[in-house]
């Protein structure tokens, strides 16, 4: 079988196979890669997922993308090794569940993609005898998940940029205490500054001699493994052929694009709820049809979602037949009617986030952190627009509440239990560099670090 081809959303770069898309991260024309055609999963095959463990579902889904690229036995081993932790689906009431994606080594949903990416990239580099520098920006959890996943992977150097004033101490320490092949840079600016510097580096001719790739959600290697937990939730909560509702706290839109990928592959989905924090460019776009990014991005409690212009919006627009460039300019309008049919989005303020944390605990004895609270409140907002609600629902909790101890303590009057890996990291000494949000300075930093 021929390998799948991936095209750039900007339309000015040649198509590539999965290995090339993985290792490049961003297309040369600054677009993002998408499959020319999404592979499908038949209803009969999805029905077998009900009895399969998570890692086996991951293999069945991701194997649709790897013919001609990676032997099945190698892919199966990667999935088994990457997904060796629980994925709880906790019933809250009726058919409404919380899907906990916080049981990996860094207590964040980012572990799902990062652990798969690290192992697959390692396999690709071994095939080709190459070296690679992973360049990534983080607004919270991506950096620690990427740093842990790629730590001590042969042939790979990791460089993580983060906005110094916008990440929690635990988020920071999970990535600044690793060393070896992992280096972290605190930027005296916002996440959007970090992301812009990373994107510019990929397109900079002066850095062509440095083999760069990304582990941000601009890399298609992040989206594909993130599609798996939507199939997993459907296999556990829905009857065969029954459509799911997902509520996904959204910042750079990589996580929600995982649900779109799953739907494009055949998973029955009634509605994808896309709640954001005060960075409300998307719900305004969905309502008005006019896209205006939030610049500068606004600081909110749900700090991993402090994104004024979601990079993955270009992919979403492309799925709906439109075209958006890397700056957020819409070159061809998507089918807004179809988007409004399939998607719902609302903006959740910090005040509503805090209220939700308290209300959900008091009513259900369920402790949510700020991102999960945004997802819950977004679901409640959508629920008020629906006359009937009998579909199975998965509300995504994307991080352990212990990552936000100050906020939980302020709201609840007590501190959450801390997972063992976080306790250990908090005791270690940190090491990171510091830069201004200045691309020229960052370019010289990159050049100086090359052997």
């Amino acid at each position: 079988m021929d390998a799948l081809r991936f095209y750039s959303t900007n339309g000015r770069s040649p198509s590539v196979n999965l290995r090339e898309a993985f290792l490049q991260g961003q297309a040369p024309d600054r677009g993002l890669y998408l499959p020319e055609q999404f592979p499908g999963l038949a209803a009969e095959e999805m029905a077998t997922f009900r009895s399969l463990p998570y890692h086996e579902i991951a293999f069945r889904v991701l194997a649709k993308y790897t013919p001609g690229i990676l032997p099945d036995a190698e892919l199966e081993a990667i999935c088994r090794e990457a997904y060796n932790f629980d994925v709880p689906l906790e019933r809250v009431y009726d058919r409404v569940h919380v899907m906990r994606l916080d049981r990996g080594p860094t207590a964040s949903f980012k572990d799902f993609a990062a652990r798969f990416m690290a192992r697959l990239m390692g396999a690709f580099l071994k095939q080709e005898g190459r070296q690679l520098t992973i360049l990534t920006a983080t607004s919270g959890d991506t950096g620690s998940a990427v740093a842990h996943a790629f730590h001590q992977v042969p042939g790979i150097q990791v460089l993580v940029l983060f906005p110094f004033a916008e990440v929690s101490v635990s988020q920071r320490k999970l990535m600044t205490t690793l060393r070896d092949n992992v280096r972290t840079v605190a930027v005296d600016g916002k996440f959007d500054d970090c992301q812009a510097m990373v994107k510019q580096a990929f397109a900079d001719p002066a850095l062509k001699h440095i083999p760069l790739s990304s582990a941000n959600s601009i890399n298609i290697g992040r989206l594909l493994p993130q599609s798996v937990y939507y199939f997993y939730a459907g296999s556990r909560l829905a009857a065969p052929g029954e459509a799911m509702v997902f509520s996904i706290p959204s910042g750079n839109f990589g996580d929600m694009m995982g649900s779109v990928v799953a739907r494009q592959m055949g998973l029955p989905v009634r509605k994808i709820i896309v709640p954001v924090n005060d960075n409300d460019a998307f719900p305004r776009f969905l309502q008005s049809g006019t896209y205006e990014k939030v610049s500068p991005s606004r600081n909110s409690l749900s700090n991993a979602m402090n994104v004024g212009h979601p990079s993955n919006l270009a992919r979403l627009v492309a799925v709906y037949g439109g075209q958006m460039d890397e700056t957020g300019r819409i070159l061809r309008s998507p089918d807004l009617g179809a988007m409004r049919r399939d998607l719902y989005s609302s903006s959740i303020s910090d005040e509503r986030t805090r209220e939700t944390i308290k209300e959900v605990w008091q009513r259900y004895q369920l402790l949510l952190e700020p991102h999960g609270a945004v997802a819950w409140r977004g679901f409640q907002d959508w629920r008020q627009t629906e006359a009937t609600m009998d579909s199975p629902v998965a509300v995504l909790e994307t991080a352990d509440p212990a990552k936000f101890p100050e906020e939980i303590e302020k709201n609840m009057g007590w501190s959450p239990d801390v997972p063992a890996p976080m306790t250990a990291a908090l005791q270690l000494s940190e090491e990171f560099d510091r830069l201004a949000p200045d691309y020229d300075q960052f370019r010289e930093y990159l050049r100086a670090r090359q052997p």
Side-chain angles (χ1 to χ4, degrees):
M1 185 184 295
D2 291 338
L4 278 176
R5 305 296 294 179
F6 293 77
Y7 73 96
S8 168
T9 53
N10 277 354
R12 298 189 305 273
S13 288
S15 67
V16 297
N17 64 28
L18 179 65
R19 181 190 294 107
E20 293 163 331
F22 245 73
L23 297 180
Q24 285 181 29
Q26 182 177 261
D29 64 1
R30 298 193 182 192
L32 305 184
Y33 286 118
L34 274 176
E36 290 182 346
Q37 184 172 358
F38 285 92
L41 277 161
E44 298 76 23
E45 186 170 6
M46 285 187 281
T48 68
F49 289 0
R50 184 171 296 274
S51 61
L52 298 179
Y54 188 93
H55 67 83
E56 184 64 27
I57 294 175
F59 166 67
R60 300 285 182 93
V61 172
L62 297 172
K64 301 296 182 184
Y65 293 92
T66 56
I69 296 293
L70 193 74
D72 280 357
E74 197 167 348
L75 176 64
E76 191 166 15
I78 285 171
C79 292
R80 186 181 298 273
E81 186 180 320
Y83 303 121
N84 59 357
F85 49 87
D86 293 335
V87 188
L89 285 155
E90 298 176 357
R91 182 178 173 275
V92 185
Y93 68 90
D94 298 337
R95 302 189 75 190
V96 178
H97 293 71
V98 164
M99 180 158 59
R100 303 206 69 98
L101 303 177
D102 58 357
R103 300 303 167 88
T106 71
S108 161
F109 81 99
K110 306 285 177 73
D111 288 321
F112 286 83
R115 287 171 65 79
F116 177 80
M117 280 185 74
R119 286 156 178 79
L120 189 56
M121 276 193 177
F124 287 160
L125 292 172
K126 188 177 179 182
Q127 286 175 359
E128 299 184 3
R130 288 177 55 194
Q131 303 281 313
L132 196 63
T133 295
I134 298 292
L135 191 56
T136 198
T138 185
S139 55
D141 291 325
T142 294
S144 54
V146 167
H148 274 261
F150 284 90
H151 187 222
Q152 297 180 331
V153 173
I156 294 179
Q157 296 294 315
V158 180
L159 189 60
V160 182
L161 278 68
F162 66 94
F164 182 73
E166 294 186 17
V167 301
S168 69
V169 173
S170 60
Q171 287 173 322
R172 192 181 76 226
K173 282 205 160 191
L174 280 166
M175 57 184 167
T176 58
T177 55
L178 290 174
R179 299 176 175 83
D180 298 318
N181 64 325
V182 175
R183 194 74 202 167
T184 49
V185 178
V187 175
D188 294 316
K190 295 184 168 291
F191 169 72
D192 285 353
D193 297 317
C194 300
Q195 182 161 259
M197 289 159 71
V198 166
K199 287 183 172 181
Q200 198 166 345
F202 283 119
D204 189 344
L207 299 178
K208 286 294 183 187
H209 65 289
I210 304 175
L212 295 176
S213 188
S214 172
N216 275 79
S217 58
I218 62 174
N219 193 317
I220 190 68
R222 275 276 297 275
L223 268 57
L224 300 184
Q226 285 180 179
S227 71
V228 173
Y229 40 75
Y230 298 102
F231 285 103
Y232 176 78
S235 75
R236 268 46 180 184
L237 303 181
E242 187 179 23
M244 287 287 303
V245 172
F246 295 107
S247 185
I248 307 154
S250 297
N252 215 22
F253 279 45
D255 202 6
M256 71 80 60
M257 273 305 298
S259 70
V260 173
V261 169
R263 191 197 62 206
Q264 294 297 106
M265 294 181 69
L267 181 69
V269 178
R270 173 179 172 181
K271 186 71 78 169
I272 298 172
I273 303 167
V274 192
V276 299
N277 56 24
D278 283 329
N279 294 279
D280 60 350
F282 183 66
R284 286 189 288 108
F285 170 60
L286 206 56
Q287 186 173 22
S288 70
T290 301
Y291 181 70
E292 295 178 1
K293 59 186 177 184
V294 176
S295 182
S297 57
R298 298 164 184 150
N299 286 357
S300 295
L301 294 178
S302 47
N303 65 339
M305 296 156 51
N306 291 343
V307 183
H309 168 51
S311 288
N312 281 288
L313 197 50
R315 284 188 170 113
L316 185 65
V317 166
V319 166
Y320 283 91
Q323 187 178 29
M324 172 186 276
D325 72 13
E326 71 278 5
T327 70
R329 190 163 53 108
I330 294 182
L331 307 176
R332 184 174 63 251
S333 292
D335 184 339
L336 281 164
M339 291 180 79
R340 290 167 180 149
R341 179 194 67 218
D342 298 341
L343 311 169
Y344 173 88
S345 185
S346 60
S347 172
I348 313 299
S349 67
D350 282 356
E351 182 181 3
R352 296 177 76 206
T353 301
R354 290 189 174 104
E355 288 171 356
T356 302
I357 292 172
K358 289 179 182 175
E359 288 172 9
V360 172
W361 175 259
Q362 289 166 359
R363 187 167 184 181
Y364 303 111
Q365 294 290 286
L366 171 66
L367 182 61
L368 299 173
E369 50 72 53
H371 305 78
V374 167
W376 186 271
R377 181 58 67 186
F379 165 64
Q380 297 298 333
D381 286 351
W382 172 76
R383 180 67 188 87
Q384 291 173 16
T385 71
E386 294 294 303
T388 60
M389 180 51 226
D390 55 0
S391 301
V393 178
V395 177
L396 273 61
E397 174 55 292
T398 54
D400 193 291
K403 287 198 162 188
F404 303 89
E406 298 89 354
E407 194 55 43
I408 300 300
E409 196 165 325
K410 190 188 303 179
N411 269 280
M412 310 302 300
W414 42 266
S415 298
D417 294 335
V418 181
M422 284 178 57
T423 303
L426 288 170
Q427 308 307 314
L428 298 173
S429 63
E430 294 183 272
E431 188 177 302
F432 57 88
D433 298 319
R434 198 104 178 227
L435 289 177
D438 178 272
Y439 180 70
D440 290 337
Q441 188 180 342
F442 179 53
R443 178 202 284 133
E444 293 313 308
Y445 176 88
L446 276 173
R447 281 173 163 167
R449 291 193 58 81
Q450 293 308 303

